[in-house]
Amino acid sequence: MNVQSNIQNLRKDIPPGVKLVCVSKFHPTESIMEAYNAGERIFGESRVQELIAKQPQLPDDIQWHFIGHLQTNKIKFIAPFVSLIHGVDSLKVLRTINTQAKKVDRTVSCLLQVHIADEKTKFGFSEEDLFELLSSDAFKQLTHVSVKGLMGMATFTDDMNQVRNEFKFLKNLFDKVKSEFFLDDENFSELSMGMSQDYQIAIEEGSTMIRIGTSIFGERDY
Ligand SMILES: *Cc1c(COP(=O)(O)O)cnc(C)c1O
């Protein structure tokens, strides 16, 4: 697996406004350093234990994104250094992030995950729950959380039409949420959608941040 040439190929497909999150879960620090040496600085991990084991061994200027499902009891381990948490899917998680961020005197950036897939196994808010959350007093009281945008995962399917429609739905929702709740907040600007299988469609549909593992590092050994 040549990480450097994979990145060079991938970079040709990515317009300048779209950020690349290199998803390094299950891959060793050596592979991360190959991507780092090819110029990449944003890395995504989906398990807290793995992230906190890798982070101290790697350069300080890496921006670590947490992309997995986050358990509240583990938030304290990543709050001191995490640069963006993608998969926030409940008020309880937001509140815990807020508490832990306050303790270490940080404001932690988050994306709210929306359930767009036709699968029960993927986490995230429904449109209705998202509006309810954003309208609530509890949300307004979060002083140490900065909501930067939305995140979603399309259905795992070969039907690229379905995938495109799910991304369209999410982009539409992003625009609605932006105009109703974040019109004057320039922080709310990121739409995280697209993985190895579907990032080209995601970019066409308005993604600002793609999360790529396999196309950079190869298949994962679970
Ligand atoms: C693993 C993972 C990815 C990367 O998936 P690939 O298909 O390997 O590119 C992206 N997003 C999330 C949330 C993931 O868990």
Side-chain angles (χ1 to χ4, degrees), residues 79-221:
F81 68 88
V82 72
S83 142
L84 182 64
I85 300 177
H86 287 236
V88 175
D89 64 357
S90 71
L91 176 61
K92 187 178 169 210
V93 167
L94 268 180
R95 276 183 160 151
T96 311
I97 295 170
N98 190 67
T99 305
Q100 296 301 331
K102 198 170 175 180
K103 272 191 194 161
V104 292
D105 202 18
R106 293 187 78 212
T107 296
V108 170
S109 297
C110 298
L111 302 177
L112 303 175
Q113 183 168 357
V114 180
H115 189 280
I116 56 171
D118 183 19
E119 291 160 10
K120 291 206 176 65
T121 50
K122 289 190 173 117
F123 298 98
F125 291 101
S126 66
E127 176 168 357
E128 197 186 345
D129 292 345
L130 186 63
F131 275 71
E132 193 183 306
L133 170 79
L134 294 171
S135 315
S136 69
D137 287 335
F139 180 75
K140 287 169 197 130
Q141 283 160 16
L142 302 171
T143 49
H144 289 69
V145 164
S146 171
V147 174
K148 299 268 189 199
L150 303 181
M151 176 265 200
M153 282 171 92
T155 305
F156 188 70
T157 172
D158 290 334
D159 182 352
M160 287 301 141
N161 222 18
Q162 180 178 353
V163 168
R164 186 180 294 280
N165 283 332
E166 291 170 357
F167 288 152
K168 269 193 208 300
F169 170 83
L170 185 57
K171 165 65 171 151
N172 205 295
L173 184 58
F174 174 88
D175 291 341
K176 267 202 266 186
V177 167
K178 173 83 186 164
S179 66
E180 275 209 35
F181 299 100
F182 297 97
L183 206 50
D184 300 323
D185 182 355
E186 60 192 37
N187 285 319
F188 191 91
S189 58
E190 300 289 357
L191 182 53
S192 167
M193 59 183 196
M195 308 171 31
S196 293
Q197 293 307 314
D198 55 22
Y199 71 88
Q200 276 150 321
I201 299 173
I203 290 171
E204 286 165 21
E205 298 305 332
S207 172
T208 67
M209 205 175 253
I210 56 174
R211 311 176 308 268
I212 309 284
T214 311
S215 297
I216 295 174
F217 298 110
E219 296 292 331
R220 289 175 286 273
D221 259 333

Side-chain angles (χ1 to χ4, degrees), residues 28-38 43 57-59 62 217:
T29 53
E30 291 74 19
S31 301
I32 297 176
M33 279 313 295
E34 284 181 60
Y36 182 91
N37 290 330
F43 292 87
Q57 303 177 47
L58 287 157
I62 288 181
F217 298 110

